[in-house]
Amino acid sequence: MLKLRIIPTLLYKNMTLVKGVGFDSWRRVGSVIQAIKVYNMRMVDELIFVDITATRENRKPDFELVDDFADECFMPLTVGGGVNDIEDVRRLLQVGADKVAINSSAITNPGLVKEAACEFGSQCVVISIDCKKNNGKYEVYSHSGTQPTGLDMVEHAVEMEISGAGEILLTSIELDGTMKGYDLEMIDQVVKAVNIPVIASGGAGNYEHMYELVSKTNVDALASASIYHFTEQTPLEAKLFLKKKGINVRL
Amino acid sequence: MNNVIVIDYDMGNTDSILRAIEECGGNPVLSNKKSDLDDASHIILPGVGSFQKAMENINSLEIIDSLEEQIFTFKVPFLGICLGMQLMATQGAENGVTNGLNWINGNVVKFQQTEKKERIPHIGWNEIHLKEPNPLFEGIESGKDFYFVNSFHFECTDKSNELSKTPYCGEFVSAVNKDNLYGVQFHPEKSQKFGFKIIKNFLAL
């Protein structure tokens, strides 16, 4: 049986690992290479790397930096931030990304998703969607949560699946970094609307939050950052907790 | 010293494979030159991407004859990983029907959901069940998890080429073997301890 994946997210600015609350108030939380080494040793299921300032600063991903990170990663690796065109996708895959996450460019240039899926296969195209609830509806935001797009979350997710996306990384902007628990309704809406895997992100503060989401939705993976940076909780303990509750995880 | 040729045909994660081979004590060389293939102790065909594009790239390199000479005449151990395993098939059905290398009879077809909660692509850790003991899986018990990321799978015409199966969308072939040809649908280079064991086993062939 396919296992639920528990994924630490590493957000970075240059070589520094950072974490914010609600996509703001960024704090330094350590070195990326150090974190990768620890996660390697602990055999985590997968890692997600996001360069949080690339798109806002209108620059390309730092391929050499990703190359250095990837050389240390003997686990599956998704890389995002600043992915603008097909060459960015190609270079990231070349330097060691297994999957590439596209966020803002999937909105401004939907053709990119189709092109990347045709060239490299859907399985390596992750569409990252950041959302906030406005007037009862979930709206998609781009540029690291700073720009409202007017797009409806479910419609956008379905359109991305049709364009060839292989996976969706869904983040609640409001709950991100709060450790108050996941937005179950948000995640459930997307999980029900698409047939590709969905990675839920934003809000996990303890293992019970994870169990609650997994028991109430068909989500495929849980990505979190704060819980691992700011508490003593670990991906391995999360899996042990979930296993006891009858969830299929890899141990 | 072994001389592991990793075929360079512009189809994805070669860096990860080279790193993993080094970690496993191998001496990898990324190449698409006949002169390098002639000195190969082992050959690995990696691959991430579409079947059709991969065949287009590999055909344009004009190395298939050299590859076949090494594999069939000199019996050099060969390992296809993910798309690299699928390319050994007769035909692939990704973006229309494309002829494969036709080294192991069979077709590569898209997963069909057997229940709603099964999502495609098949992404994540899933177990493999060995049909019989094999040197590639030496020291690895049936039921261990490996990392998969694929939308298509290999259907062998000759069931004796099936090496392992994995439960998803019913059940699919997750590793193949025919003489010195091996293929794994999962990514050993990303499957940590047991993945590295597979690479070490391959290098020992």
Side-chain angles (χ1 to χ4, degrees), chain A residues 1-3 5 43-46 67 70-77 90 93-99 118-124 165-167 191-192 194-198 218 220 249-251, chain B residues 10-16 19-20 23 48-50 52-53 94-95 113 116-127 143 145-151 167-168 187 189-193 196:
Chain A
M1 194 173 180
L2 192 62
K3 312 297 184 291
R5 285 170 284 153
M43 304 223 295
V44 296
D45 290 338
E46 190 170 327
D67 198 355
D71 280 351
E72 299 293 329
C73 279
F74 298 107
M75 75 285 273
L77 178 62
R90 186 192 315 279
L93 292 174
Q94 268 169 358
V95 298
D98 297 289
K99 297 182 277 184
C118 272
E119 180 100 16
F120 307 110
S122 288
Q123 83 292 328
C124 67
E167 196 166 36
V191 166
K192 283 189 172 137
V194 299
N195 294 298
I196 54 180
V198 177
N218 267 327
D220 299 89
V249 289
R250 180 184 69 119
L251 285 171
Chain B
D10 198 21
M11 291 305 286
N13 73 338
T14 44
D15 237 41
S16 312
R19 280 285 293 131
E23 287 289 310
V48 173
S50 84
Q52 179 238 330
K53 176 81 180 137
E94 197 166 350
N95 302 339
Q113 264 182 337
K116 173 68 188 160
K117 69 172 188 190
E118 285 175 335
R119 294 172 178 267
I120 298 159
H122 172 236
I123 299 181
W125 297 83
N126 208 336
E127 70 265 26
D145 288 314
F146 289 85
Y147 188 78
F148 290 86
V149 47
N150 56 298
S151 306
Y168 200 71
H187 286 274
E189 76 282 10
K190 291 287 170 177
S191 295
Q192 298 162 349
K193 191 172 152 198
F196 279 25

Side-chain angles (χ1 to χ4, degrees), chain A residues 57-98:
Chain A
E57 291 171 0
N58 197 23
R59 62 175 167 78
K60 296 231 161 240
D62 186 335
F63 301 107
E64 278 177 31
L65 196 61
V66 174
D67 198 355
D68 289 346
F69 295 164
D71 280 351
E72 299 293 329
C73 279
F74 298 107
M75 75 285 273
L77 178 62
T78 298
V79 180
V83 179
N84 251 316
D85 55 38
I86 194 81
E87 286 312 310
D88 292 343
V89 178
R90 186 192 315 279
R91 294 270 320 266
L92 287 173
L93 292 174
Q94 268 169 358
V95 298
D98 297 289

Side-chain angles (χ1 to χ4, degrees), chain A residues 12-14 50-62 80-84 88 104 143-144:
Chain A
Y12 64 95
K13 264 173 129 167
N14 307 317
V50 184
D51 182 337
I52 55 160
T53 53
T55 294
R56 278 191 291 179
E57 291 171 0
N58 197 23
R59 62 175 167 78
K60 296 231 161 240
D62 186 335
V83 179
N84 251 316
D88 292 343
S104 303
H143 295 75
S144 197

Side-chain angles (χ1 to χ4, degrees), chain B residues 37-53:
Chain B
L37 277 173
D38 287 347
D39 295 329
S41 65
H42 297 78
I43 299 171
I44 292 184
L45 182 63
V48 173
S50 84
F51 193 102
Q52 179 238 330
K53 176 81 180 137

